[in-house]
Amino acid sequence: MSATKHTIVMTGASRGIGRVAAEHILRRSPDAHLLVVARESPGAHASSGARLAAELATGGHTVSHIPADLGSLESVRSAAVEIRDRLDRGGLPPLRGFVGNAGMQYTNALTESPDGFEATFAINVLANHLFVRVLQDHFAAPARIVITASDTHFGDFKHNLGMVPGPVWNAPDVLARTGAFPAPGSTAGGRTAYSTSKLAAIYLVHEYARRLPAGVDAIAYNPGFVPGTGLARNAGPLSRFAMRRVLPVLALTPFATGRGAAGRYLADVVLGTTAAPTGSYVDRAEVARSSRESYDPRRERELWDAVERFTVAHAA
């Protein structure tokens, strides 16, 4: 990452691996202006974004925030356009990075976004796409777009110990709506929506690599299974307890990654410490092959066309 003043926009920096990565980025890249995108907390005296920015800025780092509800395309568009306008006015240094780290896993596949999309797909796929499309002409090469993926997209025991069903691909117009998976009202349905959304994210990274200007690289980052993050915050009490108190022990084994390591690996990808060509899948600390299913140019084009239609009214 450049040693001159530059901007990195980041979602999902408030907790978990995103918070660790944000701290690493600021410590290791002192010329970075980190702009965190955070949802507001209703009724709070200070916005969660303002608190996050103030906490990250400790030590003289340059951090600002912009509010957005990532489930709402209008809210995402508003945030992305404000960032674009600030770049145009010179209110931000050149844009060198976008980190789409925010993600959500619901306990069903029936939760609907304000725009009528299945909420997992809206947050994990459409929000990132809209940010990329609104900002794509404002990146100053060399720049990196990093989207947090997941090895749940493999759909096998080796990669997630059978805890998350594998993706079930369908036409994007079906996947984007509620009820796309078997038993959509169940936790398994919600987890299938999650793994499928992460496969979709990898497909779009491949399309970004084809379509973005030279010098603007797109990378999919897999942190591995990271217990103790906020991903399961919509799960039931037993699942939340297991994620916080029981499963973190797995981080001491090859089956899982500790939050600190996963955040450091993400920062390595964002800052270019991990060398990775555009279109790569980085599994923790190294470039790797994603699943065989994740390399499908026909699906990638179909998904691109669909998400363009879904976001066209908001991308202008």
Side-chain angles (χ1 to χ4, degrees), residues 27-314:
R27 187 164 59 249
R28 292 159 53 188
S29 184
D31 292 305
H33 178 138
L34 185 65
L35 198 166
V36 293
V37 180
R39 187 170 184 171
E40 303 290 60
S41 297
H45 293 298
S47 78
S48 55
R51 286 198 308 273
L52 173 61
E55 291 167 4
L56 289 171
T58 302
H61 301 301
T62 306
V63 187
S64 60
H65 79 284
I66 191 166
D69 173 1
L70 298 182
S72 163
L73 291 178
E74 182 55 36
S75 181
V76 172
R77 186 202 71 85
S78 177
V81 168
E82 182 172 337
I83 294 168
R84 186 179 67 189
D85 290 347
R86 287 176 64 185
L87 288 163
D88 284 338
R89 295 194 305 266
L92 289 170
L95 180 63
R96 291 283 170 81
F98 171 76
V99 188
N101 178 63
M104 184 62 74
Q105 180 178 296
Y106 288 89
T107 55
N108 58 66
L110 296 173
T111 305
E112 195 171 74
S113 77
D115 305 287
F117 297 105
E118 192 276 318
T120 313
F121 192 89
I123 293 170
N124 296 359
V125 181
L126 296 182
N128 288 330
H129 185 70
L130 190 49
F131 270 116
V132 170
R133 294 292 277 147
V134 172
L135 296 174
Q136 71 173 43
D137 294 332
H138 286 67
F139 285 98
R144 270 194 167 185
I145 294 165
V146 181
I147 306 297
T148 298
S150 167
D151 52 10
T152 60
H153 85 276
F154 280 91
D156 58 18
F157 186 86
K158 174 184 176 182
H159 288 89
N160 62 71
L161 303 179
M163 291 184 289
V164 179
V168 178
W169 195 256
N170 208 323
D173 285 273
V174 174
L175 297 176
R177 305 298 175 178
T178 57
F181 306 103
S186 69
T187 299
R191 290 176 177 169
T192 304
Y194 177 80
S195 64
T196 306
S197 75
K198 292 304 185 176
L199 176 59
I202 296 172
Y203 285 150
L204 286 177
V205 163
H206 294 163
E207 282 296 309
Y208 299 147
R210 294 185 187 103
R211 296 170 183 266
L212 291 173
V216 182
D217 295 342
I219 311 292
Y221 164 70
N222 168 47
F225 173 58
V226 186
T229 68
L231 185 64
R233 56 189 175 274
N234 285 326
L238 185 59
S239 293
R240 292 200 306 272
F241 176 81
M243 283 291 285
R244 287 198 311 269
R245 304 298 183 188
V246 180
L247 295 179
V249 176
L250 287 174
L252 303 176
T253 76
F255 294 110
T257 314
R259 182 174 60 183
R264 184 177 73 253
Y265 294 149
L266 175 55
D268 288 342
V269 178
V270 174
L271 297 175
T273 306
T274 298
T278 188
S280 294
Y281 177 81
V282 175
D283 181 5
R284 284 158 278 204
E286 59 187 30
V287 175
R289 294 283 292 179
S290 50
S291 70
R292 180 176 297 181
E293 185 181 11
S294 70
Y295 300 94
D296 190 324
R298 181 184 61 80
R299 287 185 181 179
E300 290 161 6
R301 286 193 299 271
E302 288 178 352
L303 180 61
W304 174 274
D305 291 342
V307 296
E308 286 287 282
R309 281 190 285 107
F310 299 154
T311 59
V312 66
H314 303 274

